Amino acid sequence: GDSVTQMEGPVTLSEEAFLTINCTYTATGYPSLFWYVQYPGEGLQLLLKATKADDKGSNKGFEATYRKETTSFHLEKGSVQVSDSAVYFCALILTGGGNKLTFGTGTQLKVEL
Amino acid sequence: KAGVTQTPRYLIKTRGQQVTLSCSPISGHRSVSWYQQTPGQGLQFLFEYFSETQRNKGNFPGRFSGRQFSNSRSEMNVSTLELGDSALYLCASNLAAITDTQYFGPGTRLTVL
């Protein structure tokens, strides 16, 4: 079946450090890819998305590139802030699969001063 | 524009009872999806409704059911509650297409005692 694999957390970084959260996927079809963020006590917010190979999604300094050859969608940010502390979820939707999101397990990010 | 609202925000029930959760999507959104979030299983898709029809269903027992009304508001029902049903239940809405952003509500925290 379709699945998303994310790196285990928690990831602890100092402010202004470089962030990478790895995400790979397995899909029977051609998916659209997403990164969602969840702050404590809240629902999920879409961070960025990419709908076809080589697309780069970006938002709030975060970036991820849809790599079909490596089935990956790694999240990166050049300089993290304390306010970026949250749980990050990689997810996919299959074309023709309705709006069913398949999520990874989530990666908790802690940014310290 | 108001976001996705879910009621109630918190619920405590006992085993064997049933529960109904409500979700009001963003105005104009026709698709509503439901997800269960638990520490052990992560985020799992329950079902999706579009124009009052169930378009997609996840791998949950028949105790979990839902419906959508003509104004796109949705309810989900869980009958004969089990301890393992304790979770955060998230609702998401979007216009229709899979590439549209899904907007999540804050969730309903269900505790089964």
Side-chain angles (χ1 to χ4, degrees):
Chain A
D2 308 314
S3 65
V4 176
T5 302
Q6 289 181 237
M7 62 189 288
E8 293 284 332
V11 173
T12 303
L13 296 173
S14 298
E15 202 170 44
E16 298 184 2
F18 184 85
L19 168 71
T20 300
I21 300 178
N22 291 336
C23 170
T24 57
Y25 68 89
T26 302
T28 52
Y30 192 42
S32 295
L33 302 174
F34 304 81
W35 277 101
Y36 281 85
V37 59
Q38 187 175 34
Y39 298 99
E42 298 184 12
L44 300 171
Q45 298 176 26
L46 178 67
L47 185 58
L48 52 83
K49 67 181 181 183
T51 58
K52 61 183 187 296
D54 300 325
D55 266 3
K56 177 186 283 189
S58 61
N59 186 27
K60 299 180 183 179
F62 291 89
E63 293 183 340
T65 300
Y66 189 141
R67 300 288 187 198
K68 189 179 179 184
E69 64 276 12
T70 54
T71 61
S72 64
F73 193 54
H74 304 320
L75 182 68
E76 296 182 335
K77 186 175 185 183
S79 176
V80 294
Q81 306 299 311
V82 171
S83 58
D84 293 327
S85 298
V87 181
Y88 292 81
F89 292 91
C90 185
L92 65 81
I93 287 181
L94 284 184
T95 302
N99 280 306
K100 175 185 175 182
L101 279 161
T102 298
F103 286 93
T105 53
T107 302
Q108 184 175 14
L109 171 65
K110 297 180 182 178
V111 181
E112 301 172 335
L113 290 171
Chain B
K1 183 154 81 165
V4 177
T5 57
Q6 293 187 244
T7 56
R9 291 293 311 277
Y10 302 92
L11 263 180
I12 299 176
K13 293 285 188 179
T14 57
R15 280 180 298 174
Q17 288 187 309
Q18 76 159 14
V19 67
T20 299
L21 312 182
S22 180
C23 172
S24 292
I26 291 172
S27 178
H29 286 191
R30 298 166 63 193
S31 169
V32 174
S33 300
W34 288 88
Y35 295 85
Q36 181 196 64
Q37 185 175 24
T38 60
Q41 299 298 317
L43 279 155
Q44 294 186 287
F45 173 80
L46 280 155
F47 25 65
E48 179 204 359
Y49 287 87
F50 178 77
S51 293
E52 301 179 66
T53 301
Q54 188 179 85
R55 184 157 74 169
N56 245 316
K57 189 177 190 307
N59 295 324
F60 279 82
R63 300 185 297 107
F64 291 81
S65 62
R67 59 178 175 168
Q68 186 180 35
F69 302 95
S70 58
N71 63 358
S72 294
R73 189 177 70 85
S74 177
E75 290 181 347
M76 66 164 282
N77 184 276
V78 188
S79 62
T80 318
L81 283 166
E82 300 176 359
L83 295 178
D85 297 333
S86 295
L88 180 67
Y89 290 88
L90 293 165
C91 165
S93 78
N94 70 344
L95 285 169
I98 65 169
T99 54
D100 294 330
T101 298
Q102 288 199 40
Y103 293 88
F104 282 79
T108 294
R109 173 73 64 183
L110 172 64
T111 302
V112 181
L113 301 177

